[in-house]
Amino acid sequence: MGEPNKITGLIRTEGKTRVYQMDDGSQEAREGGTVSWRNNNPGNLKFEYAGSADKTVTSSRTPEAALAAAQARYGGVVALDQWGNAIFETQAAGRAAKAQLLTNTHGERTIPEMLGRYAKDDYTGKANTDAYANSVYAEGDRQGVELRDKKIRDLSSKEFEALLDGMKKVEGFQEGAVTRTPAKTTDSLDVPIAASRIRSALSPEQQRVHQMAIERLSGSLGANYSPEQIDTIAGRVAQLAATNAHRGEGQGVFLSKDQRTIALKQTFGISEIGVQEALSPSAKASPLLPAMTAAQQQAVQPEAEQRTALSR
């Protein structure tokens, strides 16, 4: 069997449903199951942000800053769901991130000591670290290894894998239903002609900006706009990159708080386009804004990365 398809973008997250853009151009909808399965996140690694669905959160950082922190810390993070749980491109990437956290952050601790810092009370309920540890020990016993009274850094490879398996069970990794939609060709009747033409004419830099826009806008606009509409909007953002190519590479795509305006930050300036304007067949990019001052640059950059990952 070949390598599994990777998630490249989050199109929609709502309740127990996730809709993903895959690296082969297809879309995958996951429904039901547990959140760790839906997100390829067996450790339920979480990055809190203000305004998430988790009302126990007191963090003031933005969703963009939380995602930047997640991506700075772990490889393969694609997006965050509405609760702040990280979404990984593959299950293997999620498991590797969990192993990294245990090794780098908790290596000097025993399993109960680690769980005292790892398992936190949140929207899922109160953490029971004693029951958690006993379940992990039981998985170790099942695999024929002893996990009690050992520091994580002292575990053998087999013991460490048993620890990961035990934590995966406690965190709840149950599969739900998967629906796949094949990649659409440019002559598909249900693909907007404008979006298809945009994609076929993209330069490598525009393709990069296009993907950047898809990843940034899908989570914010996915509840109100179809994937095809978001693709069209992303294509218009890519056109901004081409129109203002002399201003350098695209560095970030941002959505205004009222979700009406999209800004493309390049090395030396910002261009804007309205969401509805981007959907119009006759859309034209707004004029380039002047080169930013240091204060303006700081305003559009995500706030300082906070790298504390919480469980569940």
Side-chain angles (χ1 to χ4, degrees):
M1 295 180 63
E3 292 294 323
N5 289 336
K6 294 181 180 180
I7 296 170
T8 58
L10 173 64
I11 295 175
R12 181 166 64 90
T13 175
E14 182 179 1
K16 294 185 177 182
T17 299
R18 304 287 186 274
V19 181
Y20 296 124
Q21 184 69 47
M22 310 302 288
D23 62 352
D24 64 352
S26 66
Q27 292 181 11
E28 180 174 296
R30 299 184 184 183
E31 299 183 89
T34 56
V35 64
S36 59
W37 168 74
R38 292 191 294 273
N39 293 352
N40 283 339
N41 185 353
N44 282 329
L45 303 184
K46 181 181 176 186
F47 290 77
E48 298 181 341
Y49 60 84
S52 76
D54 183 355
K55 302 308 177 185
T56 68
V57 169
T58 58
S59 174
S60 61
R61 68 177 168 183
T62 65
E64 291 80 10
L67 177 59
Q71 292 175 328
R73 181 159 185 158
Y74 300 117
V77 176
V78 175
L80 302 179
D81 70 9
Q82 67 269 44
W83 304 96
N85 298 303
I87 295 170
F88 290 90
E89 60 186 12
T90 61
Q91 290 184 24
R95 186 178 177 94
K98 177 66 172 293
Q100 177 185 330
L101 172 65
L102 294 179
T103 301
N104 295 350
T105 304
H106 302 290
E108 296 297 323
R109 300 187 176 102
T110 63
I111 290 172
E113 290 170 344
M114 174 272 292
L115 290 174
R117 295 171 176 267
Y118 178 88
K120 302 291 185 180
D121 299 342
D122 64 5
Y123 69 94
T124 64
K126 186 174 179 60
N128 186 335
T129 54
D130 290 338
Y132 200 139
N134 288 333
S135 295
V136 170
Y137 294 150
E139 178 60 23
D141 294 342
R142 190 188 71 80
Q143 296 189 24
V145 297
E146 177 59 73
L147 300 178
R148 298 168 182 83
D149 301 321
K150 293 181 180 179
K151 292 184 178 180
I152 291 174
R153 66 172 172 79
D154 295 329
L155 297 177
S156 67
S157 296
K158 185 175 181 180
E159 291 168 343
F160 189 73
E161 290 300 315
L163 169 61
L164 291 177
D165 290 340
M167 295 183 73
K168 178 179 177 180
K169 286 186 176 181
V170 176
E171 295 293 334
F173 197 91
Q174 297 295 323
E175 296 186 5
V178 175
T179 303
R180 293 185 177 87
T181 304
K184 295 177 179 178
T185 60
T186 55
D187 56 355
S188 297
L189 295 178
D190 57 345
V191 176
I193 294 175
S196 298
R197 289 175 177 169
I198 289 171
R199 284 196 301 272
S200 65
L202 295 182
S203 67
E205 168 65 6
Q206 286 176 286
Q207 290 174 12
R208 190 179 67 82
V209 172
H210 181 272
Q211 184 61 38
M212 186 189 305
I214 287 284
E215 294 175 0
R216 180 55 59 89
L217 301 176
S218 292
S220 300
L221 300 178
N224 298 316
Y225 295 89
S226 69
E228 289 79 13
Q229 289 175 312
I230 292 175
D231 181 79
T232 299
I233 295 170
R236 299 302 184 190
V237 177
Q239 285 183 330
L240 290 178
T243 300
N244 301 318
H246 61 287
R247 288 293 188 173
E249 294 185 348
Q251 297 185 337
V253 176
F254 302 90
L255 184 67
S256 63
K257 290 184 178 180
D258 61 9
Q259 297 192 341
R260 294 181 180 179
T261 304
I262 301 164
L264 170 66
K265 179 181 178 295
Q266 291 172 269
T267 305
F268 304 110
I270 296 178
S271 295
E272 295 181 343
I273 189 169
V275 173
Q276 292 304 315
E277 180 185 358
L279 289 171
S280 171
S282 59
K284 293 183 179 179
S286 66
L288 178 70
L289 296 180
M292 294 181 295
T293 65
Q296 288 172 323
Q297 290 180 355
Q298 185 176 7
V300 299
Q301 293 289 349
E303 62 185 66
E305 294 171 353
Q306 302 177 38
R307 298 187 176 188
T308 302
L310 303 178
S311 70
R312 303 182 70 77

